[in-house]
Amino acid sequence: MQARAGTAPRRGTRIDEVMDAIRARIASRTYQPGSRLPSVRAQAKAMRLSVSTVVEAYERLAAQELIYARPGSGFYVAGPVAPLALSELGPRLDREVDPLWVSRQALEADPAILKPGCGWLPASWMYEAGMRRALRAAARTDTAALADYATPLGLPALRQLLARRMAGAGIEAPAEQVMLTESGTQAADLICRFLLEPGDTVLVDDPCYFNFHALLRAHRAKAVGVPYTPNGPDLEAFARALREHTPRLYITNSGIHNPTGASLSPVVAHRLLKLADGTDLVIVEDDIFADFETSPAPRLAAFDGLSRVIHIGSFSKTLSASLRCGYIAARADWIDGLTDLKIATSFGGGRLASEILLAALTDSGYRKHMEALRVRLAQAMQQTVERLEALDIRPWLVPQSGMFVWCRLPGGRDAADLARRCLGEGVVLAPGNAFSQSLSAGGFLRFNAAQSLDARTFEVLARAL
Amino acid sequence: MQARAGTAPRRGTRIDEVMDAIRARIASRTYQPGSRLPSVRAQAKAMRLSVSTVVEAYERLAAQELIYARPGSGFYVAGPVAPLALSELGPRLDREVDPLWVSRQALEADPAILKPGCGWLPASWMYEAGMRRALRAAARTDTAALADYATPLGLPALRQLLARRMAGAGIEAPAEQVMLTESGTQAADLICRFLLEPGDTVLVDDPCYFNFHALLRAHRAKAVGVPYTPNGPDLEAFARALREHTPRLYITNSGIHNPTGASLSPVVAHRLLKLADGTDLVIVEDDIFADFETSPAPRLAAFDGLSRVIHIGSFSKTLSASLRCGYIAARADWIDGLTDLKIATSFGGGRLASEILLAALTDSGYRKHMEALRVRLAQAMQQTVERLEALDIRPWLVPQSGMFVWCRLPGGRDAADLARRCLGEGVVLAPGNAFSQSLSAGGFLRFNAAQSLDARTFEVLARAL
């Protein structure tokens, strides 16, 4: 991205030409590191350009730190800096399949690599038009929004909007009980910091979002898995884990469960909260997939009234993952402590990000975008399931909505082994044990329907099987 | 901020009128919660407007969650949500003066409040024109930059630029040893997570940036203060603290020290690193004020070659605090572990923020902006020091550059008491003990010259003294 607004195209091209010429002379050592560049006047004469064009080119090269100015003496060539190491690009075949395997591989993959295992939509499926409109609006917004820190809780108008959205899902969370965070992940992280002591036990779904494992490890917490069923956690196992481990936290997705695509049923939600009665258990409900739902599942936060449930979310799966902003809705007496922790560990939140998010969400196009997206995803899901079944890879459950389908491999094949093999052929898969605390999902893969539309994925899979 | 780009002004006004009218009817309960709104056609007829105008107004109100659509049935009024609590605004006089006192008061203060104690520039002093240009450029950037997660280390071009900037300060940090973070504070936080065990000892300057205390408290680390002199930490005290406490970390600012405005001298830098020889001490050098320097102080990271020194920074003091992006430069073998931790606790970084930052920094205007800013700050500093001295408030040191001046109150006055009194009159001060581990700075205040230009500040101070 280049900031060239305000420069006429013709002059912009000439400035670029001067910059390119000087860059080439620095690269070829015609201009040695530490040597003085020709004066602006001499350069302008030699290149038959105006002095102002050369001045601007020199200034931009100085901004890029390729040359530097010595007041009263002119511009000098900066010392060389090593080019980007090649090792930074391309798949890392040697990495162990740990909870960070899928995210590191998917985040590092170059665009040519296929990513049916990745946890987000292709960029072109996101709310691009709304983001562009919101950025143009941000370019015209007031100075404070461009330059100042956010207030401790974050942009009031966005918190009000989130309060209204939650009210629509039956969750009563006034705006002063909503705190903005840098991301959904940071929301979960702050809660762990606020509530956990090293060595505390935390219940997770088995399987669950792999990054919960990585997060709990960072907190030195002991994760205990509770098997997940198509209607929510297995209640008998949940009750046993409560008795045996006195866990401090349970972290889950109610709406669309990652990685299974299952949804919590009202009866399981109700019984789960009854089981928690009389315990100190706090439940973190991560609602990041809310806007994908076609028919809404119950929310634990709605049943519980934000007593022991903390509700978190973000828009990085639907609107933009490049823009970081998440939120926490929690008991009033917890919000203040969480806010202190947020300031201590990340100072304010991103005010600009919250302004852009608010503009994009209150743009009337977002709802239409999501309606179209749900239809598109449903079609992709159908096609993906058909192609997987043709390879004898069977869905554990065909999800009602969302992007994920959790599948069992044929003939006891090992998913980690398959994932390593496919990575070598340019396909990033999500092997089951990255999601499983008990490492009992070695025969499973999570597929993202939106990232599985390229037929090559299934050719590589077929060969590797 | 409203996203209205792409809508012709006249039509925009009509849509706003419909929205305002409906909002008023909801507020007055003419339209009851849960009731159906007039159909689009009926509303258009009643308001003598086109159907499309009313459709757009209804869609936007739905995006704001004030009404909601039931497919095939029309639009309904959403349930009421409590308005923002008043308690969220205004100063909190009851809060104890702890390490978070200054930041909470300054972040929460409404714009009418004077903030000579706050740690940043007024919004209008920041690089506003560059931010607006960078946002316009971002609105035209490619889809992936708008929607995708960042790579684990962050935007390569920005890391290259940071590597070149550091090379200019004598710090050899190739781009693959530079990791972007969500902020300078998050950079320090990740390093604490990476290196500290609960109970570990960390050396801090006494006084130091108050948020280091809050951060170390969040990590359950034991902070030990080392008195700060006008040339850096007191080396005898530093040597003693090394012997007595075997600290794991020392965290400091080399360039312009917060809160004293002092600078590290080459001889102190050299001796300090020699003292650390043969110990496990890691030094975190926070370079957030680098661009304010008029003559550069030495950097520990330059002397040490990123062996035991980790260099961090951000642009929230010069470019924008609303845009969150910081960085860590560290040993190659630490960067990978730090990256895993970053993903576990905040997933990616903000790709969009890093793209905007890169555009703003490589804009030739940033350097000119900073040149003008340094002059403006020097003038503000001179005026502030004169006004303070007129009240017998004496600078501990008149800083060469930067915004801070650390001052002793006359007649043994208590700064916390004064700060509480001035807060009641709409002036946020920064009392010394918020910065002091040993609580030995009760007679000091930190002033920000850029925030001290309003004469009322000194009237309130004079009365309170």
Side-chain angles (χ1 to χ4, degrees), chain B residues 9-349:
Chain B
R10 261 196 85 84
R11 190 160 167 260
T13 312
R14 284 204 207 107
I15 294 169
D16 286 339
E17 279 167 15
V18 179
M19 290 172 72
D20 287 345
I22 294 170
R23 272 199 214 98
R25 288 174 205 175
I26 292 173
S28 67
R29 302 239 163 184
T30 309
Y31 293 163
Q32 295 275 344
S35 69
R36 198 166 82 88
L37 262 75
S39 74
V40 166
R41 219 163 276 279
Q43 191 77 276
K45 204 172 163 195
M47 292 189 163
R48 294 177 193 204
L49 290 168
S50 74
V51 165
S52 68
T53 300
V54 175
V55 165
E56 182 62 21
Y58 276 23
E59 289 284 356
R60 290 193 195 171
L61 288 166
Q64 293 173 8
E65 305 277 337
L66 292 168
I67 66 176
Y68 60 94
R70 277 198 200 145
S73 164
F75 286 88
Y76 290 76
V77 179
V81 163
L84 265 195
L86 282 177
S87 64
E88 215 178 278
L89 308 166
R92 296 180 34 188
L93 298 172
D94 55 337
R95 192 178 173 110
E96 202 196 338
V97 177
D98 64 6
L100 284 162
W101 193 88
V102 183
S103 32
R104 289 290 300 246
Q105 301 293 6
L107 290 169
E108 274 164 31
D110 78 55
I113 282 185
L114 299 171
K115 297 186 283 190
C118 112
W120 52 90
L121 298 178
S124 61
W125 290 45
M126 305 286 272
Y127 189 39
E128 181 176 344
M131 279 293 292
R132 292 190 195 280
R133 269 196 298 273
L135 282 163
R136 286 196 297 271
R140 297 188 304 268
T141 193
D142 56 293
T143 307
L146 286 179
D148 262 352
Y149 287 99
T151 55
L153 286 180
L155 190 64
L158 179 56
R159 291 187 290 113
Q160 279 280 38
L161 177 70
L162 293 170
R164 283 192 224 110
R165 281 176 57 98
M166 284 187 271
I171 301 166
E172 212 176 299
E176 57 270 28
Q177 279 175 248
V178 181
M179 179 182 85
L180 302 185
T181 62
E182 307 269 16
S183 62
T185 307
Q186 199 217 12
D189 182 48
L190 280 172
I191 293 164
C192 289
R193 283 189 139 152
F194 183 61
L195 292 172
L196 295 183
E197 296 290 324
D200 275 356
T201 296
V202 177
L203 301 186
V204 292
D205 299 319
D206 192 347
C208 74
Y209 173 42
F210 49 73
N211 211 50
F212 291 159
H213 298 142
L215 179 65
L216 294 175
R217 199 181 282 181
H219 284 277
R220 300 176 166 84
K222 185 184 154 205
V224 169
V226 174
Y228 208 75
T229 80
N231 306 311
D234 178 314
L235 288 172
E236 264 184 53
F238 194 88
R240 205 179 319 123
L242 270 182
R243 273 198 313 275
E244 288 174 10
H245 300 284
T246 5
R248 185 75 183 104
L249 274 186
Y250 166 51
I251 183 161
T252 189
N253 314 113
S254 302
I256 299 173
H257 181 253
N258 182 2
T260 65
S263 285
L264 189 68
S265 75
V267 62
V268 173
H270 175 68
R271 288 191 186 153
L272 190 148
L273 286 169
K274 276 194 73 173
L275 285 174
D277 266 356
T279 73
D280 285 337
L281 186 75
V282 175
I283 300 173
V284 179
E285 182 171 57
D286 178 6
D287 214 18
I288 191 164
F289 299 106
D291 288 350
F292 288 105
E293 278 185 305
T294 42
S295 57
R299 294 296 188 269
L300 293 167
F303 283 27
D304 170 72
L306 288 188
S307 158
R308 71 167 73 244
V309 176
I310 302 179
H311 195 75
I312 66 176
S314 90
F315 298 87
S316 50
K317 302 296 183 188
T318 52
L319 209 146
S320 163
S322 176
L323 182 80
R324 308 302 285 153
C325 188
Y327 63 90
I328 296 177
R331 277 163 54 164
D333 55 334
W334 288 349
I335 284 290
D336 204 49
L338 285 164
T339 305
D340 275 354
L341 258 183
K342 179 174 82 161
I343 294 174
T345 58
S346 66
F347 215 68

Side-chain angles (χ1 to χ4, degrees), chain A residues 154-198:
Chain A
L155 190 65
L158 179 56
R159 291 188 291 113
Q160 279 279 38
L161 177 70
L162 293 170
R164 284 191 223 110
R165 282 176 57 98
M166 285 187 270
I171 301 166
E172 212 176 300
E176 58 270 27
Q177 280 175 247
V178 181
M179 180 182 85
L180 302 185
T181 62
E182 307 267 19
S183 62
T185 306
Q186 199 217 13
D189 181 48
L190 280 172
I191 293 163
C192 289
R193 284 187 138 152
F194 184 61
L195 292 172
L196 295 183
E197 296 288 324

Side-chain angles (χ1 to χ4, degrees), chain A residues 29-264:
Chain A
R29 303 237 161 185
T30 309
Y31 293 163
Q32 295 276 344
S35 68
R36 199 166 81 88
L37 262 74
S39 74
V40 166
R41 220 163 278 278
Q43 190 78 274
K45 205 172 162 194
M47 290 188 165
R48 296 179 191 202
L49 290 168
S50 74
V51 166
S52 67
T53 300
V54 175
V55 165
E56 181 63 22
Y58 276 23
E59 289 284 356
R60 289 194 195 170
L61 288 167
Q64 293 174 9
E65 305 276 337
L66 292 168
I67 65 176
Y68 60 94
R70 275 196 201 149
S73 162
F75 286 88
Y76 289 76
V77 180
V81 163
L84 264 195
L86 281 176
S87 64
E88 215 179 275
L89 309 166
R92 296 179 33 186
L93 297 171
D94 55 338
R95 194 178 170 108
E96 201 195 339
V97 177
D98 65 6
L100 284 162
W101 192 89
V102 182
S103 30
R104 291 289 301 246
Q105 301 292 7
L107 290 170
E108 274 165 32
D110 79 54
I113 281 184
L114 300 170
K115 298 186 283 191
C118 111
W120 52 89
L121 297 178
S124 61
W125 290 45
M126 305 287 272
Y127 188 40
E128 181 176 343
M131 279 293 291
R132 292 191 194 280
R133 269 196 298 273
L135 281 163
R136 285 196 298 271
R140 298 189 304 268
T141 193
D142 56 293
T143 306
L146 286 180
D148 263 351
Y149 287 99
T151 55
L153 286 179
L155 190 65
L158 179 56
R159 291 188 291 113
Q160 279 279 38
L161 177 70
L162 293 170
R164 284 191 223 110
R165 282 176 57 98
M166 285 187 270
I171 301 166
E172 212 176 300
E176 58 270 27
Q177 280 175 247
V178 181
M179 180 182 85
L180 302 185
T181 62
E182 307 267 19
S183 62
T185 306
Q186 199 217 13
D189 181 48
L190 280 172
I191 293 163
C192 289
R193 284 187 138 152
F194 184 61
L195 292 172
L196 295 183
E197 296 288 324
D200 276 357
T201 296
V202 176
L203 302 186
V204 293
D205 299 321
D206 192 346
C208 74
Y209 173 42
F210 48 76
N211 212 49
F212 291 158
H213 298 142
L215 179 65
L216 295 175
R217 198 180 283 181
H219 285 277
R220 300 174 165 85
K222 186 185 153 205
V224 169
V226 174
Y228 208 76
T229 80
N231 306 311
D234 178 314
L235 289 172
E236 264 183 54
F238 194 88
R240 205 177 320 121
L242 270 183
R243 272 197 314 274
E244 288 173 11
H245 301 284
T246 9
R248 184 76 183 104
L249 275 185
Y250 167 50
I251 183 160
T252 189
N253 314 113
S254 303
I256 298 172
H257 180 253
N258 182 2
T260 64
S263 285
L264 189 69

Side-chain angles (χ1 to χ4, degrees), chain A residues 270-284:
Chain A
H270 175 69
R271 287 189 187 156
L272 189 149
L273 287 169
K274 276 196 73 174
L275 286 175
D277 266 356
T279 72
D280 285 337
L281 186 75
V282 175
I283 300 172
V284 179

